[in-house]
Amino acid sequence: MATSLKNLSETDIKPNKAIKKFNIALVVADWNTEITHSMRDAAIGFLKEQGLKESNISIHPVPGTFELPLGAQFLAQNKKIDAVIAIGCVIQGETRHFDFICDACANGIMQVGLQYNIPVIFGVLTTNNLEQAKERAGGKHGNKGIEAAETALKMLLLKYELS
Ligand code: DLZ
């Protein structure tokens, strides 16, 4: 489904006492910070609304989206961290750089999650232009940071339900 058909800020997670014990780390790309910081702040706001304490949320900047998988891996190695939310924004340019960064990031993030058996969430916008990114970082399509934070909580709840 195209993102334009779903508002990224709409959530349906049910309250759960387990949530307040989760320890979640955000790794955030320093490229396109107008977008990534808006997603970061929305994700943190949502996690707090769901009951996480500020002390159970940590934020870790990396230079760009290409560095998100390694940043996520550094965090996943810490056994106190239950989930990682990777936040980035890649905007299509005139060269193929976009494709290399997006592919490397998506594959790397998936690998870290599978290797460490923790949710590592792909909170990355890959858009044709800045306008599309703004629309998904607090604009008319909601905020992908909220979608990413909700996904992290849902995957953690599933993990603990099954363990
Ligand atoms: C180099 C680059 C370019 C052209 N575009 C973006 C972008 O739109 N979003 C992003 O997060 N990072 C970009 N980068 C930086 C790369 O992710 C990476 O930090 C550098 O290639 C150094 O490895």
Side-chain angles (χ1 to χ4, degrees), residues 67-142:
E67 284 73 37
L68 287 174
L70 186 57
Q73 181 168 284
F74 293 157
L75 293 163
Q77 284 167 341
N78 179 343
K79 292 199 167 45
K80 288 185 193 144
I81 290 174
D82 298 308
V84 179
I85 300 172
I87 291 182
C89 170
V90 198
I91 297 176
Q92 178 80 276
E94 290 176 359
T95 69
R96 291 191 59 215
H97 217 90
F98 176 86
D99 302 310
F100 291 120
I101 294 175
C102 296
D103 286 353
C105 179
N107 290 330
I109 282 180
M110 175 63 79
Q111 274 175 35
V112 177
L114 295 177
Q115 185 181 339
Y116 287 89
N117 202 36
I118 66 167
V120 179
I121 308 303
F122 186 66
V124 178
L125 286 173
T126 57
T127 63
N128 291 323
N129 52 52
L130 181 61
E131 196 52 39
Q132 287 180 344
K134 284 182 182 172
E135 287 170 358
R136 290 157 179 79
K140 70 177 180 187
H141 296 309

Side-chain angles (χ1 to χ4, degrees), residues 11-100:
T11 63
D12 62 3
I13 193 163
K14 294 180 184 62
N16 190 312
K17 282 181 190 160
I19 289 177
K20 67 174 187 292
K21 295 187 184 147
F22 294 152
N23 214 332
I24 298 188
L26 283 79
V27 57
V28 184
D30 266 344
W31 263 72
N32 302 316
T33 50
E34 179 187 355
I35 304 298
T36 59
H37 288 183
S38 171
M39 289 195 284
R40 173 199 67 190
D41 294 346
I44 292 169
F46 181 76
L47 293 174
K48 286 187 186 166
E49 269 170 38
Q50 297 302 313
L52 257 87
K53 284 183 270 172
E54 193 147 346
S55 55
N56 285 359
I57 303 169
S58 60
I59 303 158
H60 309 271
V62 292
T65 295
F66 190 80
E67 284 73 37
L68 287 174
L70 186 57
Q73 181 168 284
F74 293 157
L75 293 163
Q77 284 167 341
N78 179 343
K79 292 199 167 45
K80 288 185 193 144
I81 290 174
D82 298 308
V84 179
I85 300 172
I87 291 182
C89 170
V90 198
I91 297 176
Q92 178 80 276
E94 290 176 359
T95 69
R96 291 191 59 215
H97 217 90
F98 176 86
D99 302 310
F100 291 120

